[in-house]
């Protein structure tokens, strides 16, 4: 938002520099993004009065002008199409420098030219070079144009936050400046314009939940073709508004001055009473921007007997707009609830200055002031005969008092601001309040929609007192370094461990497709979003696998052959089905670690033959990530995984995650040419690491024995290892399986398991007899528990 400084100083007579003013406003929460003069400084450009215009004898498109420069009359060659006798325009005298151009006396096509008549572009005011910049008729020939046009005036550009809609006007900024500096606020002199006739236009509000107040006035016999005064055009242009016509310029001027959007109708084009209501399916309206849009029950419309004639609070309609031929007009000043306007401009993919204000909140107390101010300006510029102002009020926002405790404010701000100063702040801001037992009870004014809770009032006290005036105290608590627990790893350390296994980290949205949840988690009722950013991201994820598969698909589509990705993030489970420490609104949000591998197990190299990554590669990665924690793997079914190539991961008897190959059905559905290996672990399994236990290494050589057993085909190798834990001989240090054989040489329903047994003692070297005795004890144990026999 652009605010011309002179316009602002008309409201509040401050005596500080522009730089200090910009800093003061920025530090109060109204960021001044930039401030700069209207035009770069120049001299030598004066007001020139064109006395005569003659055709150039040697050029069809040039004219020779006699110009009164104040002290002398000059001959100037000009090519502007709008040049005419009697007009006044900027004249750059010989020797003047405009930017990189130096104006010199020249001989143009056989005629002397003693200067240059200028357009707005040549003065650096705008990009308009279609013709001469016409000056006001009262400008005196020979006067400095830089001073006449007030080109040294600074324009402040504000970057306002959405909650400060009250500052989307010069009056709003002036209120802040007056409060911050303690200067008196000089509001515009808005007088009630008496009616000169009984003309009125009927107004109805059918839907008060969208429109709470509607004020209007008929003005007859106006001259809509009257030119906009130069002072108004200048202020509008410096505020970022293009001058259109006198009537439109007046409404834009009042909007910028008071923050009150207005609209002008040609009354003769209206058909019956104006009614503010929600749209109906099938209705359309042709807007001022030339677009025809459909409306429905979610769009607030201005209507008459012909149907919708505008989008309330957004844009008027083409069929009832005021034009240069308009004689009788109807002036609208309404209050629309922000909820009725917000989001509609995004739906139609365009916005307007009015919608920008209404969707944030417009002062519902200045409707009539806006009408009176606009009437005053219209009568001054276009003439006319006003009728009575009609003000229809149906429902206005309730101003609920907000309480602020003095002690609480002092604690939050961090300094003992006196109660008297808080009282002064609220007075300067124009708030109505009372004090009850050191509690301020404030009734927010009609232009402040951002004052709802105690902290809002504390913020007002702090910023008007001045953030610069709040002392910065260093913390007084002693800083102590605490040792990190050895048994706890940070998630950053976990990331490093997974990355060390050759995985690349990804960060994905927690919003996913519902189909992913149904396919990969078997979740038919995930947590749904009320307002999703896209239809394909409408539920909260209960697994990280869907996002990782999407990452694999994206990278494979870009011709990557070997892909390894992982993610550490939260999943969102309903409390009844969840297992995790964090519960919010009936949800559990545990952190998980998941990874996906696709393509060859190793990059192409000469040292090993190429092969695809498989279940056991992924199992090795999981064991490395969780080491030194010992994991167990049990064959089990998971909705996302291959029925025969998936396993449940167990840690200390509890489920810690899943591991396996993507189900062929999903591999085909998601168009993946090769299997994807996946794992997903609870973060606690990875972040909790057992402390190392010291053991005495043996100085004596180990003895190794291999045992091949014939067992039932349905028995699991893990069952044999579990059986050893309670009954193995003391000298047995480690037992591991190294071979599985199934073939026709074995009896039906049997398989062969081969175990390697490592035996060692810390005090002496074992004899063959001791080693063989321990081996036989193991065979006897397995035979007794599982019916296993030594394979011949």
């Amino acid at each position: 938002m652009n605010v011309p400084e002179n316009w602002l100083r008309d409201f509040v007579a401050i005596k500080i520099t522009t730089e200090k003013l910009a800093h003061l406003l920025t530090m109060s929460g109204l960021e001044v993004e930039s401030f700069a003069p209207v035009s770069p400084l120049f001299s030598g450009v004066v007001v020139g009065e064109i006395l005569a215009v003659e055709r150039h004898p040697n050029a069809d498109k040039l004219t020779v002008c006699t110009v009164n420069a104040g002290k002398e009359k000059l001959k100037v060659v000009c090519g502007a199409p709008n040049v005419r006798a009697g007009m006044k325009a900027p004249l750059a005298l010989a020797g003047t420098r405009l930017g990189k151009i130096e104006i010199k006396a020249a001989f143009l096509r056989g005629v002397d030219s003693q200067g240059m008549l200028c357009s707005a572009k040549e003065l650096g005011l705008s990009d308009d070079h279609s013709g001469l910049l016409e000056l006001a008729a009262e400008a005196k020939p020979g006067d400095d144009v830089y001073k006449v046009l007030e080109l040294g005036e600074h324009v402040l550009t504000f970057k306002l936050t959405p909650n400060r809609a009250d500052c989307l006007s010069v009056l709003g900024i002036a209120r802040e400046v007056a409060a911050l500096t303690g200067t008196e606020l000089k509001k515009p002199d808005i007088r009630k314009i008496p009616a000169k006739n009984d003309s009125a236009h009927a107004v109805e509000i059918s839907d008060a939940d969208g429109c709470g107040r509607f004020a209007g006035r008929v003005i007859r016999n106006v001259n809509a073709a009257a030119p906009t005064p130069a002072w108004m055009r200048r202020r509008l242009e410096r505020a970022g508004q293009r001058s259109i016509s006198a009537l439109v310029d007046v409404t834009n001027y009042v909007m910028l001055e008071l923050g009150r959007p207005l609209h002008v109708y040609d009354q003769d084009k209206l058909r019956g009473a104006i009614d503010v209501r929600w749209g109906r399916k099938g209705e359309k309206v042709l807007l001022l921007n030339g677009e025809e849009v459909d409306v429905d029950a979610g769009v607030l419309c201005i209507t008459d007997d012909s149907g919708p004639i505008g989008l309330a609070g957004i844009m008027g309609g083409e069929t009832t707009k005021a034009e240069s031929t308009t004689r009788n007009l109807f002036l609208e000043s309404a209050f629309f609830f922000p909820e009725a306007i917000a989001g509609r401009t995004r739906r139609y993919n365009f916005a307007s200055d009015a919608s920008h204000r209404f969707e944030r909140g417009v002062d519902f107390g200045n409707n009539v002031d806006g009408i009176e101010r606009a009437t005053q300006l219209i009568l001054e510029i276009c003439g006319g005969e006003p009728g009575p102002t009609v003000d229809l009020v149906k429902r206005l926002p309730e101003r609920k008092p907000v309480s602020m405790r003095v002690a609480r404010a002092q604690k939050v701000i961090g300094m003992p601001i006196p109660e008297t100063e808080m009282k002064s702040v609220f007075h300067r801001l124009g708030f109505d309040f009372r004090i009850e037992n050191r509690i301020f009870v404030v009734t927010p004014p009609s232009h402040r929609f951002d004052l709802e809770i105690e902290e809002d009032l504390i913020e007002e006290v702090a910023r008007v007192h001045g953030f610069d005036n709040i002392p910065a105290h260093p913390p007084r608590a002693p800083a102590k370094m605490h040792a990190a627990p050895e048994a706890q790893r940070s998630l950053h350390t976990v990331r490093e461990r997974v990355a060390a296994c050759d995985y690349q980290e990804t960060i994905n949205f927690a919003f996913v497709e519902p189909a992913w949840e149904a396919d990969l988690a078997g979740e038919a009722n995930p947590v749904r979003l009320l307002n999703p950013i896209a239809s394909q991201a409408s539920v909260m994820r209960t697994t990280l696998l869907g996002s990782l598969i999407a990452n694999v698909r994206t990278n494979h589509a870009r011709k990557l052959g070997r892909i390894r990705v992982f993610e550490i993030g939260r999943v969102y489970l309903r409390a009844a089905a969840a297992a995790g420490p964090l519960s919010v609104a009936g949800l559990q949000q545990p952190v998980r670690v998941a990874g996906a591998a696709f393509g060859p197990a190793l990059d192409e190299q000469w040292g090993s033959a190429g092969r695809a990554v498989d279940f056991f590669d992924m199992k090795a990665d999981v064991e490395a990530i969780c080491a030194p924690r010992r994991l167990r793997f049990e064959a089990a079914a998971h909705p996302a995984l291959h029925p025969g190539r998936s396993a449940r991961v167990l840690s200390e008897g509890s489920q810690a995650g899943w591991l396996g190959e993507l189900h062929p059905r999903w591999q085909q559905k998601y168009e993946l040419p090769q299997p994807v290996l996946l794992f997903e672990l609870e973060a606690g399994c990875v972040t909790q690491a057992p402390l190392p236990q010291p053991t005495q290494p043996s100085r004596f050589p180990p003895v190794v024995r291999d045992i091949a057993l014939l067992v039932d085909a349905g028995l699991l190798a893990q069952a044999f290892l579990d059986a050893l834990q309670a009954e193995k001989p003391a000298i047995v240090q480690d037992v591991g399986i190294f071979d599985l054989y199934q073939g026709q040489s074995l009896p039906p329903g049997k398989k062969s398991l081969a175990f390697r047994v490592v035996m060692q003692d810390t005090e002496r070297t074992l004899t063959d007899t001791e080693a063989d005795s321990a081996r036989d004890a193991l065979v006897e144990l397995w035979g007794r528990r599982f019916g296993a026999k030594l394979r011949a």
Side-chain angles (χ1 to χ4, degrees), residues 503-760:
Y503 289 80
Q504 301 282 336
E505 185 176 12
T506 65
I507 300 175
N508 297 298
F509 273 119
F511 317 139
V512 299
E513 294 188 33
W516 292 1
E517 291 300 306
D519 295 347
L520 305 175
E523 180 60 69
N525 185 30
V527 178
R528 296 189 175 274
L529 299 173
L530 294 178
N531 186 25
I533 58 176
S535 59
Q536 67 271 22
S538 59
V539 301
M540 303 295 288
R541 65 186 179 186
T542 63
T543 176
L544 304 180
L545 300 182
S547 301
L548 293 177
I549 293 172
N551 296 146
V552 171
R553 291 185 64 197
T554 300
N555 284 276
H556 176 68
R558 285 156 179 76
K559 307 303 180 183
L560 270 70
R562 184 174 184 270
I563 303 165
R564 286 178 171 235
V565 291
F566 80 96
E567 181 178 7
I568 299 177
R570 293 192 183 279
V571 296
Y572 302 86
L573 312 174
R574 298 192 184 277
L582 184 59
S583 177
V584 177
L587 299 178
Q588 292 283 350
Q589 305 176 56
V591 177
R592 289 185 181 172
V593 182
F598 174 87
L602 301 171
D603 285 322
E604 187 174 358
Q605 57 173 294
W606 61 267
S608 63
R611 64 176 181 82
V613 65
D614 61 20
F615 177 91
F616 297 101
D617 293 317
M618 182 66 76
K619 177 174 177 287
D621 289 339
V622 170
E623 290 177 327
I625 293 167
C626 297
R629 182 183 292 272
R630 301 294 293 270
L631 302 177
R632 290 187 56 177
F633 301 88
E634 291 183 354
H638 186 279
L641 304 178
H642 191 298
R645 300 174 188 173
S646 62
R648 180 186 290 111
V649 181
L650 301 175
S651 174
E652 298 180 356
S654 301
Q655 180 170 317
W658 290 87
L659 163 70
E661 182 181 302
L662 183 65
H663 198 293
R665 182 191 306 160
W666 311 137
Q667 179 183 333
Q668 181 180 10
K669 176 177 178 178
Y670 295 114
E671 299 176 340
L672 293 166
Q674 302 174 38
V676 180
L677 276 300
L678 303 162
F679 74 84
E680 184 172 29
L681 305 172
E682 300 293 341
C685 172
V686 189
T687 56
Q688 298 292 333
L691 292 175
Q693 299 296 325
T695 57
Q696 181 182 356
S698 176
R699 297 181 294 109
F700 301 99
V703 178
V704 178
R705 293 288 188 268
D706 291 341
I707 304 173
L709 299 175
L710 193 64
V711 301
D712 292 337
L715 290 175
L716 300 177
Q718 186 66 49
F720 287 80
L721 299 177
D722 292 342
L724 295 177
Q725 298 305 314
E727 301 185 40
K728 69 178 181 179
I731 61 173
V732 175
Q733 301 299 320
D734 185 51
V735 179
I737 184 170
F738 71 90
D739 185 46
L740 165 66
Y741 175 72
Q742 292 175 303
Q744 296 181 354
S745 62
L746 299 179
K750 297 292 184 178
K751 64 181 178 182
S752 173
L753 294 177
F755 296 91
R756 176 154 295 164
V757 182
V758 178
M759 293 169 278
Q760 194 175 29

Side-chain angles (χ1 to χ4, degrees), residues 38-39 118-133 237 242:
V38 175
S39 172
C118 303
S119 67
K121 182 176 182 179
E122 287 149 348
L123 297 181
L125 303 182
S126 71
D127 292 329
D128 182 14
H129 61 282
S130 59
L132 299 180
L133 175 63
E237 289 168 359
R242 180 173 57 91

Side-chain angles (χ1 to χ4, degrees), residues 404-417:
M404 186 195 77
R405 296 161 288 174
V406 172
R408 173 65 176 167
Q410 293 172 339
K411 180 178 180 181
V412 172
I413 295 172
M415 65 177 297
I417 297 177

